Amino acid sequence: MTARLPLAGYRILSAEQYGAGPYGTMFLAQMGAEVIKIEPPKSGDTARAVGPHFLRDAESLYFQSFNLNKRSLTLDLNSTGGKEILHRLVASSHAVVNNLRGDLPDRIGLTYQQLKDVNPAVICAHLSAYGRDNERARWPGYDYLMQAEAGWLALTGEPDAPPTRAGLSLVDFMTGTIMTIGLLGALVDAQRSGMGRDVDVDLLSAAVHQTSYPAIWYLNEGDVTARVPRSAHPSVTPSQMFRAADGWVFVMAQLPKFWDVLVNRIGHPELARDSRFVTPTDRLANRGALTDVLDGIFSQKPVAHWIELLAGHMPVSPVYGLDQALDNPYLQTTGMIDTVSHPDREQLRVLANPIRLDGERLPNRAAPLLGADTDAVLAEAGFGVDEIAAFREKGVI
């Protein structure tokens, strides 16, 4: 991408680890911000050690998922020298991010109250499991726990199966994205007012917020949304998976017009006149019978037949395995698979950012090796060669 990137010239410091925080700051880095990832000396971000696939010892492919386009600075934030370096960097930065346990930012010195004298306009964004200002501040927490407590597991899976988590760490990804939105909003205000602030987001709040319309149904009507077979929509049918001859197809006749398209294109217009299925209310009341009828039809032909027949005329999709999803030629058409060069793999395949600017995908480069940019970042901040060597000797970097 040759056009200007919208966050070019902005510097973000991030004391981050694992998934949620790094996922959010990666968006900032891909949009052009200089994101300096602060990692503990020697061990680095715990994500570097997450298997099963590695580029070299303690350099995982997992880490590459969340840290494209960043720089790596090793720094002991608990040391006096580490705080000296942090303050020097904060003076020329626009934001400081962390996704530490809720009680740690204040202890380490990453809050706006502690950094405003260094840089009054700095944004301090905090992503934690449960927040920084309540009795759970010291609690560690992860995505799966949030899915459990926020009701996601109870909403997911077949009705007769145990509660089931989403197959991906969606709470982490959503919370990282929400944190980034809050940071950018605060940054806009800081550019106008000259005053920074704290921005807080926590995993559990984000998970609860995503319960969206079922939450509003319950809060106002006492209606507890239950699991429905075949991953179906709770109140519209047919909007679910059906068995094809060689797999599954997901069909969504969300609107009455799509019901008409469906019955006509599959060659069974008589279903529209069946007294059990005439109106949306009729179809919902007879969901089980309709599932049986449509299963009988879809099971006669393979998935590809039904996709060719219905695609572009109504909402429909094959139900892919992860391998099929990522080998889908359509992703090449849209540019969702990118390639970057890494010291250990010249052609490292990664996912492109879903944002496009001026019709183009955002540029990517491989995630940094641990501490790869430490000397350069400190030199840019005005530390001399001897000072940097002294910091390294003391274990500060």
Side-chain angles (χ1 to χ4, degrees):
M1 183 174 185
T2 56
R4 70 190 188 284
L5 292 171
L7 296 182
Y10 287 89
R11 169 178 277 187
I12 314 293
L13 307 177
S14 189
E16 58 181 28
Q17 59 183 337
Y18 217 64
Y23 181 83
T25 58
M26 187 169 68
F27 275 77
L28 302 173
Q30 289 171 317
M31 287 191 289
E34 178 193 10
V35 175
I36 299 175
K37 183 180 181 74
I38 299 174
E39 304 186 66
K42 298 183 180 178
S43 61
D45 182 345
T46 54
R48 292 184 183 272
V50 174
H53 303 291
F54 293 88
L55 294 165
R56 65 173 70 177
D57 185 45
E59 289 291 346
S60 70
L61 282 179
Y62 180 93
F63 181 80
Q64 293 291 323
S65 305
F66 307 111
N67 293 287
L68 301 174
N69 293 30
K70 300 178 184 179
R71 306 176 82 187
S72 173
L73 165 70
T74 54
L75 187 63
D76 179 3
L77 290 172
N78 290 302
S79 67
T80 300
K83 286 180 170 38
E84 177 189 350
I85 292 171
L86 173 68
H87 288 185
R88 179 83 65 90
L89 294 174
V90 167
S92 60
S93 297
H94 297 87
V96 178
V97 176
N98 77 84
N99 69 322
L100 304 174
R101 199 178 67 200
D103 62 317
L104 293 179
D106 186 66
R107 183 190 304 178
I108 294 174
L110 299 177
T111 69
Y112 182 69
Q113 183 65 32
Q114 294 163 312
L115 295 177
K116 65 180 182 179
D117 290 340
V118 178
N119 181 351
V122 73
I123 306 303
C124 296
H126 313 276
L127 190 161
S128 59
Y130 301 102
R132 297 186 298 126
D133 58 355
N134 60 72
E135 66 273 16
R136 293 193 185 186
R138 292 176 54 84
W139 288 24
Y142 291 97
D143 179 291
Y144 295 2
L145 302 180
M146 309 308 155
Q147 292 193 37
E149 187 168 357
W152 286 33
L153 273 68
L155 287 167
T156 307
E158 293 296 306
D160 57 351
T164 304
R165 70 169 176 86
L168 299 168
S169 297
L170 297 181
V171 177
D172 276 351
F173 307 151
M174 291 172 177
T175 310
T177 304
I178 293 167
M179 180 273 294
T180 298
I181 293 170
L183 185 157
L184 290 174
L187 186 59
V188 169
D189 178 68
Q191 301 301 292
R192 294 181 301 201
S193 68
M195 297 300 296
R197 63 179 69 195
D198 288 304
V199 174
D200 279 89
V201 62
D202 64 89
L203 295 175
L204 185 56
S205 292
V208 170
H209 191 263
Q210 298 305 310
T211 59
S212 61
Y213 62 89
I216 301 304
W217 290 348
Y218 171 72
L219 292 171
N220 292 281
E221 303 295 338
D223 180 0
V224 179
T225 299
R227 285 181 279 178
V228 183
R230 303 285 184 85
S231 297
H233 190 282
S235 60
V236 178
T237 195
S239 183
Q240 64 185 71
M241 293 190 298
F242 293 100
R243 291 184 185 275
D246 61 348
W248 295 91
V249 59
F250 209 116
V251 175
M252 300 186 73
Q254 296 288 101
L255 304 176
K257 68 177 182 179
F258 291 137
W259 168 247
D260 294 335
V261 171
L262 174 63
V263 298
N264 283 294
R265 292 198 68 83
I266 65 176
H268 288 273
E270 75 280 0
L271 291 177
R273 300 186 295 273
D274 189 313
S275 60
R276 298 171 295 174
F277 312 137
V278 173
T279 69
T281 301
D282 294 332
R283 294 192 286 277
L284 186 60
N286 295 285
R287 189 200 300 263
L290 181 55
T291 296
D292 291 341
V293 170
L294 291 176
D295 265 355
I297 296 168
F298 283 113
S299 63
Q300 296 174 22
K301 300 286 185 180
V303 171
H305 169 83
W306 300 114
I307 298 302
E308 183 177 0
L309 191 69
L310 299 174
H313 300 281
M314 66 170 297
V316 65
S317 174
V319 179
Y320 280 157
L322 183 62
D323 53 347
Q324 294 171 300
L326 293 173
D327 289 337
N328 187 348
Y330 185 66
L331 298 187
Q332 299 299 327
T333 301
T334 60
M336 266 307 298
I337 306 297
D338 198 3
T339 302
V340 298
S341 179
H342 184 275
D344 300 320
R345 188 170 299 184
E346 186 176 350
Q347 297 289 308
L348 180 65
R349 300 179 76 200
V350 298
L351 300 176
N353 190 289
I355 295 172
R356 296 189 192 192
L357 296 177
D358 301 319
E360 294 187 46
R361 297 286 181 189
L362 301 177
N364 277 324
R365 68 175 186 272
L369 296 173
L370 178 61
D373 305 288
T374 298
D375 286 13
V377 169
L378 295 186
E380 291 163 10
F383 291 103
V385 174
D386 291 342
E387 290 177 291
I388 296 171
F391 284 135
R392 183 165 282 112
E393 177 69 23
K394 296 175 182 178
V396 172
I397 58 174

